[in-house]
Amino acid sequence: MARIPPPGVYVPSPTFFKPLSPGAYQPEVDVTTQSEHSVFLAKNGVHGLVLLGSTGEAIHLNRKERKDLLSGVRKSLDEAGFPDYPIMAGVLVNAVDEALEWLQDSKDAGCQWGLVLAPGYFGGAASQQGLIEWYTTVADKSPIPILIYNYPGVTNGLLVTPESYEKLAAHPNIVGCKMSHGNVSYHVQVSTSPVIDHEKFRVYSGFGQQLGPIVTFNAAGVIDGLASFFPKTVVRLFELASKRPIDDAAINEARVLQYRVSRAEEYIGRWGILGIREGIYRVVGLGNLEGGRGPLRGKIPDSAWDEWAHVMKAMSEL
């Protein structure tokens, strides 16, 4: 039977890069800092990682860089006392053969699952039946279990429907999904569907502002960028939202934390990957403010972080 990812808070880690060297056309991947950040998250209660997803700029790395990053993080986690720590590896390509190549490389590097982006090059021209057939083919051949990754913002608006999830959830090598969109109804429909075996298919949201509501209705957790620099707060909110039975004290604390998390997520929504990098640099002390690879170079405006200072202060007051 395919291994099922545990519930909880996962961090979609940005890929760390070294400062741009004189004469170089792009910065080198910084596996050392990537590993330090991964160990920091593990030590602070985060339940797992997503490496080389959309936030991780996987499409800006070559094959060797991706393999070296995945294997380097796995080695560092093992050495830090976190053997078999959960890692989902992003798969962001449309061709089946290439997706399978990424999945094999992920397995070889020690990742337990592949987070496979819906093939959205053609956007709405892709039918739901076409999506079901594509994912079924990948799952049939994948050397590791996969999760469906639906992020309409990077796939020309392509949306996987609850009915498609219900059909795909029956595949023995498809063990969950990540929905990175604001349709809470889709989250709830899939996480409560009576035709899905929820012990074998986990539902995660890409938005921490949805954590409390969706976990209340049986979702497995979140894959959330804010937790990359405020892990303890987001993890605490998950613990409260998933508590059964839940008492009044837990409900009241969860309400306070959900408000703080939702406010801070507005910062992520405004500044995206560059905002996440800024947060990690300022709060955790890792990375730099040169950005990623083109076109995601640079940093947020100097005054932008200060505008959110009161929100970030509240996030740190756990």
Side-chain angles (χ1 to χ4, degrees):
M1 188 178 78
R3 183 173 179 181
I4 312 302
V9 174
Y10 290 68
V11 167
S13 299
T15 293
F16 290 83
F17 296 98
K18 299 176 182 178
L20 185 65
S21 300
Y25 65 91
Q26 65 180 6
E28 296 179 7
V29 176
D30 188 350
V31 178
T32 299
T33 303
Q34 192 82 49
S35 298
E36 290 177 3
H37 184 242
S38 298
V39 171
F40 162 79
L41 295 173
K43 287 181 176 179
N44 282 275
V46 168
H47 301 95
L49 302 174
V50 172
L51 299 176
L52 298 177
S54 302
T55 302
E57 296 184 55
I59 55 170
H60 293 162
L61 276 64
N62 62 42
R63 185 180 185 186
K64 182 180 185 304
E65 289 173 330
R66 294 194 304 269
K67 291 168 69 174
D68 288 348
L69 184 147
L70 293 174
S71 59
V73 169
R74 170 58 71 200
K75 182 175 183 290
S76 295
L77 286 166
D78 288 348
E79 292 175 348
F82 297 96
D84 203 35
Y85 188 77
I87 299 177
M88 301 177 187
V91 177
L92 310 185
V93 289
N94 283 229
V96 170
D97 287 344
E98 194 173 4
L100 293 173
E101 179 181 88
W102 282 44
L103 287 161
Q104 184 63 56
D105 288 346
S106 299
K107 178 186 178 182
D108 293 344
C111 303
Q112 299 98 322
W113 303 278
L115 185 65
V116 182
L117 184 68
Y121 182 87
F122 292 103
S127 67
Q128 291 299 306
Q129 183 58 37
L131 285 175
I132 291 169
E133 292 174 0
W134 188 89
Y135 271 111
T136 298
T137 301
V138 172
D140 283 345
K141 302 296 184 182
S142 176
I144 54 177
I146 68 169
L147 293 88
I148 300 160
Y149 177 22
N150 189 196
Y151 184 5
V154 297
T155 54
N156 294 305
L158 184 62
L159 200 61
V160 182
T161 66
E163 293 80 10
S164 295
Y165 283 117
E166 288 178 340
K167 293 175 181 177
L168 289 167
H171 194 291
N173 209 31
I174 299 178
V175 296
C177 65
K178 176 190 178 185
M179 299 187 206
S180 288
H181 56 70
N183 192 328
V184 177
S185 177
Y186 274 26
H187 285 79
V188 174
Q189 287 182 60
V190 178
S191 64
T192 59
S193 171
V195 305
I196 292 176
D197 184 346
H198 297 286
E199 294 301 315
K200 298 179 180 178
F201 187 88
R202 307 290 198 192
V203 178
Y204 301 90
S205 173
F207 298 153
Q209 54 266 59
Q210 297 175 351
L211 194 163
I214 65 167
V215 170
T216 298
F217 289 99
N218 203 43
V222 291
I223 299 171
D224 176 58
L226 183 65
S228 65
F229 52 101
F230 285 120
K232 290 183 178 180
T233 307
V234 181
V235 168
R236 178 58 179 165
L237 175 57
F238 170 79
E239 292 171 347
L240 293 165
S242 58
K243 185 178 180 181
R244 300 292 183 274
I246 188 167
D247 53 50
D248 288 345
I251 291 173
N252 290 334
E253 185 182 352
R255 286 172 177 165
V256 170
L257 292 183
Q258 183 65 75
Y259 174 78
R260 293 179 183 178
V261 167
S262 295
R263 287 287 292 125
E265 293 287 357
E266 297 293 322
Y267 164 83
I268 302 294
R270 174 65 180 86
W271 296 109
I273 297 174
L274 293 181
I276 292 172
R277 293 184 181 281
E278 182 99 15
I280 294 171
Y281 179 79
R282 289 180 176 269
V283 178
V284 185
L286 292 173
N288 58 61
L289 295 180
E290 293 188 12
R293 285 182 170 171
L296 297 179
R297 296 288 293 160
K299 62 186 292 295
I300 67 175
D302 291 337
S303 62
W305 181 264
D306 294 337
E307 293 172 4
W308 293 86
H310 64 292
V311 174
M312 301 307 172
K313 183 176 185 295
M315 281 293 295
S316 66
E317 294 173 348
L318 182 59

